[in-house]
Amino acid sequence: MSITLTEAAARHVTRYLSKRGKGVGVRLGVKTTGCSGLAYKLEYVDELSPEDVVFEEHGVKVLVDPKSLAYIDGTELDFVREGLNEGFRFNNPNERDRCGCGESFRV
């Protein structure tokens, strides 16, 4: 099981944590929502939880709860800039379908 980050994503997370002045990494998970059923959730983390599964890439920790891991195993987290927009992109090999608005997915 693995979650990976591109160098661009790791740089962005490292910069943001530095600006915040605290934090141990990011938590990646899924929640039930949207027209396709699941949506990604990503948040900065200040403390590890005992149930967290921890992955580390390019010096950045990615924490995942065990329930979400089944849906996002193998996902690569990227940070992209497209024109004036920027944000995280989830390259998840388990995705079978994505809703038209791009807010949710199905495995």
Side-chain angles (χ1 to χ4, degrees), residues 14 24 32-33 39 61 104 107:
T14 301
V24 295
T32 304
T33 189
K61 286 184 174 68
S104 62
V107 292

Side-chain angles (χ1 to χ4, degrees), residues 13 24-28 42-45 60-63 77:
V13 170
V24 295
V26 291
R27 179 169 285 116
L28 174 60
L42 187 66
E43 61 188 6
Y44 292 94
V45 179
V60 174
K61 286 184 174 68
V62 179
L63 314 164
L77 183 59

Side-chain angles (χ1 to χ4, degrees), residues 32-105:
T32 304
T33 189
C35 30
S36 290
L38 297 169
Y40 297 104
K41 60 181 182 177
L42 187 66
E43 61 188 6
Y44 292 94
V45 179
D46 295 330
E47 293 182 20
L48 297 173
S49 296
E51 68 273 2
D52 285 332
V53 179
V54 181
F55 301 95
E56 188 166 345
E57 183 114 4
H58 304 290
V60 174
K61 286 184 174 68
V62 179
L63 314 164
V64 180
D65 68 273
K67 291 179 185 174
S68 293
L69 190 55
Y71 300 106
I72 59 176
D73 181 34
T75 295
E76 176 190 64
L77 183 59
D78 194 8
F79 188 80
V80 295
R81 288 189 172 94
E82 295 173 343
L84 298 175
N85 299 318
E86 65 180 21
F88 287 101
R89 178 176 292 157
F90 306 93
N91 300 314
N92 184 348
N94 303 304
E95 271 190 34
R96 298 295 171 242
D97 194 19
R98 183 175 276 267
C99 72
C101 65
E103 293 296 317
S104 62
F105 69 98

Side-chain angles (χ1 to χ4, degrees), residues 11-32:
R11 277 193 310 272
H12 180 76
V13 170
T14 301
R15 268 195 309 265
Y16 189 81
L17 290 174
S18 179
K19 285 181 186 178
R20 285 180 79 224
K22 62 180 180 176
V24 295
V26 291
R27 179 169 285 116
L28 174 60
V30 296
K31 60 184 177 180
T32 304

